[in-house]
Amino acid sequence: MTSKYQIYIFSLLLILLSVGVMTYKVEVLGFPLFAGEEKSIWNIEAKVEFTGHGKNAFVSLALPEAQNGMFVYNENASSANYGYVVAEEDTYLRGEWSKRKVEGKQTLYYSIDVILDEDFKPESVKEYKRNYSIEASSLVLQATEAIMQDAYDHSSDDISMAARLISEFNKANPTQAVEMLKHRYIKSPRDLRDVIAALLEDKKVRLRRIGALELIDGQKNVFLKPMLEVFYKEKWQLFDINNGKISKPKNLFIWQRGAVSLLDAEGVTGSEVRFSVTENVVSARTGALLKGSDEKVSLMDYSLFVLPNESQNAFKHLLLIPIGALVVVLLRVLIGLKTSGTFMPVLLAMAFVQTELVPGVSMFLIVVSIGLIVRSYLSDLNLLLVARISAVLIVVVGIMAMLAVLAYKLGFTDIITITFFPMIILAWTIERMSIIWEENGPKEVFVQGGGSLMVAIIAYFAMTNSVMQFWTYNFPEILLSVLALIILVGRYSGYRLSELHRFAPMVRKK
Amino acid sequence: MIVFPSALKKLNVLGMNARNIDYISRYNDRRLYPLVDDKLQTKKLIEKHGLKAPELFGFIEFQAQVKKIKEIIPEGAGFVIKPAQGSGGKGILVILKQEDGYFIKQNGDKINEHNLRRHISNILSGLYSLSGKDDVALVEKLIEFDDAFEGFSFEGVPDIRVIVYRGYPVMAMMRLSTSASDGKANLHQGAVGVGLNISNGKALSAVQFDAPITHHPDTGKELLELEISQWDKVLRLASGSFDMTDLGYLGADIVLDKQNGPMLLELNARPGLAIQIANKTGLEARLRLVDAIAGQHKNIDERLEFSYLNFGATDA
């Protein structure tokens, strides 16, 4: 009795473990539960261009920080012949290229791959340290006294003041003071942002400047979109300089934050940085894998996905064997089907997976039939068993080669997959069948061969089920559940379905 | 035709899974399997314990010895060649007599020495053995079955299967070969199974291919007339094989020889369940009854007494 409970507990633990790992992979690592789910990978490329004049060049580009909802899994700086380092400056990262005696037009690229992921939250709310002096000129401040007074009067806190100010600048008919400022200082969206920021900072509003990119496919050579963030009540509030207060859109990638300059260049002229955004659609699984491997999740570090592609493909098939085994266990223990050789049907099913069902079954039947005919001749030669099986094996190879050539000539290219059949299994099947034929007659051959073939076909359907294939490959831990199930079935001491029929005459007589 | 599991439960029918889990794996130590799976070992064990069994003329272990078969087989007489590790009656060759250098099989077919050697060679290569590994061929004396069974069996020696649970014979049946079973006494090959009353060795009911029958399909003999003589010796032999092997759940196959009486043919650590159909009775209640009194009886006589008393009627 205790051993029975042990088995229940053990199986339960196995199932919990496998479901637990699966849940972790789906919920945390973002593995898709079903095939076909897609994810976007955004490639953001910064193109730095400048012209050299024979002097030593030093170019420094502000690099994006880790941010909520944006998982950066790959960064790449391609910079032929340039020395490249990533330097940290006041907690800000910068990519720095340098080279001696640069001549002519130069282009440097820095690109990152980003996956949108709501669960990714590396940011902590930190108050932005102001480490620069306000540069706003007194002239601007004088001219805008009225504007600020208005904004101050019509607001209750920093947030509403910033909102008021932005709306003043975006009015169709702005006040005269605004009109004057615009005319004089604002040539680009970036100027507008800087003016607004300067005005607010003068009122002791804690803010930071932002250069962002909207992740929309096909953007080429665009500039960062200037935006603002205002710190209030331990939170940063984002402002669009055209629309006022906004909550951060999911697809907004913040490249530059704070007052650090986006691009610094020494020894060159005409430096400029432009951005391109490209969307690549990949399966959600690939996305999860990229994320998992980059986050150094140890579960992924020691998963099948670290193997070379070729081995992974081999495992894709190997991982299906337990499913086939489960089918055989269920059919034998619960249904009571007889098969010749315990796992011969699984191996056959594996071959069918490679060959497709109909060509596989027909090839199996053809090879076994021809083999039986040849075997009946060999039996007259009175050979030792090992020699006879080996002879059958060679005949099987011959039949397979012949079929492949014949089929190819006739245009049935499917048949060439015949090589996937395990030859030893075929040879043994032929040998066993021929013995059964001699001893129990052809009827028994059809009964036993048919039984094995049927189990193989059922196993084939279980193993080619796309959900099964997807699960065993992406969630190998599901095999623990299969194991638990097999252990539980292994303790099933009830009647088999076939016994309900077999012992039926006893009930009728009573 | 399918019945509800509850109906079988009511009849105490033992299923294959329950047999494997609750009885075989619990009472048959794996270590002991070779004693019965290898008939050569069984033979030696039987000899050691002084039980009666068909005489072993000799055995052939290596291919090189195959040509010496003539030295082993008796001049002119019948004999049986069987693989030591065969299962389900596979590979058993019964030669009734020899004529002009030919060997006459049960069904009248003549084979020559060449065929005979090939058969032995096949046995040695493991063609009939459970796991396909190399095997040994045994050459045994042919059983001359008791005239009492004339007409009950078609071409072949009828044998008695007794299920012995923890030393107590719990159920028995006689297996009669038919033309369908090709002279073999295996129920799944079409032999007739006749349930026997443990108390007196008289027939209770009969089945072929799991279906009830009343007359032998080939000879037309009324099967319920069957009665085993020397029944006590049969059960004693069966029960004694438990003391010999220590296997708690075993099937003893016993034949009645014309001169020597009951003889232990072979033992089976995984006896089939068809015996329940032949007896129209489930095994489970009887097994539980034995479990309830196990250890109370010290010797074979006391065990047999218990079996006679409790497993006599159709309903345990």
Side-chain angles (χ1 to χ4, degrees):
Chain A
M1 269 300 150
T2 45
S3 95
K4 203 156 194 171
Y5 287 120
Q6 265 178 33
I7 278 174
Y8 290 150
I9 291 167
F10 182 57
S11 308
L12 193 71
L13 285 178
L14 282 177
I15 291 173
L16 284 179
L17 182 63
S18 93
V19 171
V21 174
M22 232 175 122
T23 313
Y24 174 74
K25 279 166 91 170
V26 171
E27 292 296 323
V28 181
L29 299 183
F31 271 75
L33 203 50
F34 296 100
E37 288 176 27
E38 288 181 338
K39 248 192 150 90
S40 295
I41 291 183
W42 297 93
N43 177 269
I44 305 173
E45 184 183 72
K47 186 165 98 180
V48 180
E49 284 177 315
F50 53 88
T51 312
H53 303 287
K55 290 191 230 159
N56 297 348
F58 175 82
V59 177
S60 158
L61 176 70
L63 302 184
E65 293 181 288
Q67 51 195 289
N68 290 347
M70 295 282 172
F71 183 81
V72 178
Y73 76 88
N74 184 29
E75 49 190 318
N76 180 36
S78 69
S79 41
N81 301 322
Y82 277 77
Y84 174 76
V85 289
V86 175
E88 195 176 327
E89 205 177 277
D90 293 334
T91 78
Y92 295 102
L93 292 176
R94 301 191 72 86
E96 296 177 346
W97 288 264
S98 44
K99 191 185 177 185
R100 286 182 194 277
K101 293 188 179 115
V102 177
E103 192 70 61
K105 201 168 153 62
Q106 305 282 315
T107 310
L108 300 173
Y109 293 97
Y110 175 84
S111 75
I112 55 173
D113 290 316
V114 176
I115 298 169
L116 300 190
D117 177 10
E118 286 169 54
D119 300 325
F120 185 68
K121 293 201 166 87
E123 274 180 66
S124 52
V125 178
K126 53 177 179 185
E127 193 181 343
Y128 169 60
K129 253 198 350 234
R130 193 187 310 202
N131 57 355
Y132 61 99
S133 57
I134 300 165
E135 290 167 15
S137 74
S138 55
L139 191 69
V140 171
L141 296 175
Q142 279 166 24
T144 58
E145 193 61 38
I147 304 172
M148 283 319 294
Q149 197 56 53
D150 169 78
Y152 190 82
D153 290 346
H154 292 86
S155 63
S156 57
D157 53 28
D158 289 357
I159 301 285
S160 51
M161 183 161 69
R164 174 79 186 183
L165 192 60
I166 287 170
S167 75
E168 284 301 315
F169 275 89
N170 284 297
K171 271 187 181 158
N173 302 305
T175 59
Q176 227 172 4
V178 171
E179 192 71 64
M180 189 272 283
L181 267 184
K182 273 185 154 177
H183 181 72
R184 201 158 159 191
Y185 291 105
I186 300 172
K187 302 277 182 287
S188 70
R190 202 179 146 188
D191 294 339
L192 173 61
R193 193 266 320 267
D194 288 343
V195 167
I196 293 171
L199 289 172
L200 288 171
E201 277 176 332
D202 193 54
K203 287 282 171 199
K204 302 282 183 286
V205 173
R206 286 163 296 179
L207 58 79
R208 56 187 180 184
R209 293 158 174 81
I210 277 180
L213 283 166
E214 278 175 289
L215 297 182
I216 296 168
D217 189 29
Q219 299 187 81
K220 290 255 180 283
N221 296 324
V222 296
F223 293 108
L224 292 183
K225 189 176 178 189
M227 299 179 104
L228 269 185
E229 270 182 329
V230 172
F231 192 72
Y232 184 73
K233 285 189 175 165
E234 303 303 309
K235 263 174 141 173
W236 287 101
Q237 172 61 50
L238 186 69
F239 285 90
D240 185 306
I241 51 164
N242 297 117
N243 298 318
K245 182 176 139 185
I246 55 166
S247 56
K248 191 187 168 212
K250 268 188 204 166
N251 69 338
L252 191 74
F253 182 81
I254 294 170
W255 186 283
Q256 182 200 18
R257 204 166 235 171
V260 289
S261 61
L262 179 61
L263 185 69
D264 290 332
E266 291 169 25
V268 297
T269 57
S271 66
E272 189 183 52
V273 57
R274 286 168 182 268
F275 295 86
S276 302
V277 177
T278 325
E279 180 185 16
N280 293 307
V281 177
V282 296
S283 74
R285 188 182 70 81
T286 312
L289 277 180
L290 290 169
K291 192 181 154 211
S293 61
D294 210 67
E295 276 182 334
K296 296 282 176 284
V297 180
S298 57
L299 191 75
M300 305 298 295
D301 251 3
Y302 292 94
S303 76
L304 289 171
F305 303 116
V306 302
L307 295 176
N309 269 348
E310 205 178 327
S311 320
Q312 282 195 34
N313 283 331
F315 267 103
K316 236 180 226 182
H317 292 292
L318 286 185
L319 290 170
L320 287 172
I321 292 183
I323 302 296
L326 178 65
V327 169
V328 171
V329 168
L330 290 178
L331 288 179
R332 283 173 73 108
V333 174
L334 299 185
I335 311 292
L337 269 183
K338 275 182 195 160
T339 59
S340 84
T342 317
F343 288 111
M344 186 264 245
V346 180
L347 294 170
L348 267 187
M350 286 293 292
F352 292 157
V353 169
Q354 305 271 1
T355 59
E356 296 290 303
L357 188 61
V358 176
V361 172
S362 12
M363 278 184 289
F364 174 75
L365 292 178
I366 293 171
V367 173
V368 170
S369 311
I370 302 178
L372 278 175
I373 295 167
V374 176
R375 166 63 178 74
S376 76
Y377 170 70
L378 284 175
S379 95
D380 290 340
L381 295 182
N382 192 21
L383 302 176
L384 293 178
L385 178 76
V386 184
R388 194 169 57 226
I389 302 244
S390 307
V392 171
L393 190 66
I394 292 169
V395 170
V396 168
V397 175
I399 298 168
M400 283 163 70
M402 231 169 56
L403 273 182
V405 172
L406 201 70
Y408 185 73
K409 288 280 177 200
L410 292 175
F412 302 112
T413 42
D414 286 354
I415 309 282
I416 297 171
T417 55
I418 194 166
T419 46
F420 288 113
F421 274 105
M423 276 180 297
I424 308 288
I425 293 292
L426 282 179
W428 263 107
T429 304
I430 291 168
E431 182 63 24
R432 292 264 171 194
M433 292 295 169
S434 114
I435 296 292
I436 294 172
W437 192 305
E438 279 176 17
E439 291 194 347
N440 305 329
K443 190 183 148 218
E444 194 64 23
V445 171
F446 291 117
V447 170
Q448 287 208 16
S452 299
L453 204 56
M454 198 165 95
V455 175
I457 290 170
I458 295 171
Y460 164 84
F461 281 117
M463 287 158 79
T464 49
N465 181 293
S466 59
V467 176
M468 271 303 161
Q469 285 190 328
F470 188 78
W471 282 4
T472 53
Y473 181 52
N474 290 288
F475 306 104
E477 58 276 5
I478 208 169
L479 296 187
L480 292 178
S481 287
V482 173
L483 178 64
L485 215 58
I486 287 179
I487 288 173
L488 284 176
V489 173
R491 285 298 300 215
Y492 170 74
S493 65
Y495 297 115
R496 297 172 179 179
L497 188 62
S498 62
E499 287 174 340
L500 298 183
H501 167 75
R502 182 186 179 194
F503 294 120
M506 294 174 67
V507 178
R508 237 183 316 175
K509 270 286 147 193
K510 286 271 154 179
Chain B
M1 168 70 190
I2 275 193
V3 293
F4 284 105
S6 56
L8 295 185
K9 205 83 211 163
K10 228 169 94 187
L11 286 173
N12 293 305
V13 172
L14 181 66
M16 194 64 91
N17 296 327
R19 181 201 75 170
N20 292 341
I21 293 176
D22 295 338
Y23 298 101
I24 291 188
S25 72
R26 195 180 298 173
Y27 291 106
N28 288 358
D29 193 337
R30 265 232 99 85
R31 195 164 48 80
L32 301 171
Y33 277 28
L35 295 181
V36 295
D37 285 345
D38 183 347
K39 292 190 184 83
L40 192 58
Q41 282 199 44
T42 316
K43 267 291 196 254
K44 289 176 178 166
L45 203 62
I46 288 171
E47 207 171 304
K48 205 175 109 191
H49 284 75
L51 301 184
K52 270 209 275 184
E55 185 190 339
L56 180 70
F57 290 137
F59 54 91
I60 296 172
E61 274 179 290
F62 309 109
Q63 297 284 358
Q65 300 170 330
V66 173
K67 53 181 172 296
K68 292 184 183 155
I69 178 69
K70 278 290 231 185
E71 296 167 23
I72 295 175
I73 56 175
E75 195 96 12
F79 56 92
V80 178
I81 295 179
K82 55 170 78 164
Q85 302 183 49
S87 71
K90 278 196 184 119
I92 297 180
L93 179 67
V94 179
I95 301 298
L96 289 183
K97 55 189 176 199
Q98 302 173 38
E99 267 177 24
D100 325 318
Y102 284 97
F103 302 91
I104 316 296
K105 296 210 298 189
Q106 274 167 305
N107 55 12
D109 284 357
K110 278 186 185 178
I111 60 167
N112 55 25
E113 198 187 327
H114 179 74
N115 301 132
L116 196 67
R117 284 190 193 174
R118 191 181 117 215
H119 186 81
I120 297 169
S121 168
N122 278 344
I123 290 177
L124 299 193
S125 332
L127 187 52
Y128 309 104
S129 83
L130 286 170
S131 49
K133 60 185 177 204
D134 286 0
D135 205 353
V136 175
L138 306 187
V139 186
E140 274 182 2
K141 190 176 176 196
L142 178 69
I143 303 284
E144 281 181 68
F145 69 91
D146 207 307
D147 293 334
F149 301 129
E150 201 60 64
F152 281 111
S153 194
F154 179 82
E155 289 180 354
V157 184
D159 74 352
I160 299 158
R161 157 66 61 87
V162 184
I163 301 287
V164 182
Y165 182 55
R166 303 176 80 174
Y168 298 85
V170 288
M171 202 172 271
M173 71 166 165
M174 179 141 223
R175 298 184 296 191
L176 309 168
S177 43
T178 62
S179 59
S181 76
D182 190 27
K184 296 197 172 70
N186 271 304
L187 291 206
H188 71 262
Q189 284 174 343
V192 170
V194 183
L196 298 174
N197 191 332
I198 287 280
S199 299
N200 51 27
K202 284 184 181 166
L204 290 169
S205 52
V207 288
Q208 187 189 24
F209 288 120
D210 292 345
I213 56 166
T214 53
H215 295 80
H216 193 284
D218 302 307
T219 64
K221 190 104 174 170
E222 167 91 51
L223 292 165
L224 289 183
E225 285 174 7
L226 189 71
E227 185 180 351
I228 312 294
S229 56
Q230 307 182 68
W231 183 240
D232 185 65
K233 282 186 181 171
V234 171
L235 291 191
R236 199 164 285 273
L237 207 50
S239 184
S241 56
F242 162 72
D243 299 316
M244 183 174 85
T245 58
D246 262 349
L247 288 164
Y249 185 85
L250 73 95
D253 292 348
I254 292 161
V255 284
L256 289 186
D257 188 75
K258 199 191 273 180
Q259 277 115 42
N260 301 307
M263 295 213 271
L264 192 55
L265 202 58
E266 62 179 79
L267 296 172
N268 198 322
R270 314 164 194 81
L273 299 169
I275 194 168
Q276 300 179 104
I277 306 172
N279 278 276
K280 287 192 184 138
T281 307
L283 267 167
E284 204 138 26
R286 296 187 180 188
L287 301 179
R288 277 201 295 268
L289 190 57
V290 171
D291 278 334
I293 53 89
Q296 288 181 17
H297 305 102
K298 284 171 194 60
N299 56 38
I300 195 164
D301 295 306
E302 286 180 29
R303 293 205 305 261
L304 289 182
E305 190 63 28
F306 181 82
S307 288
Y308 278 131
L309 277 175
N310 292 283
F311 305 135
T314 320
D315 298 297

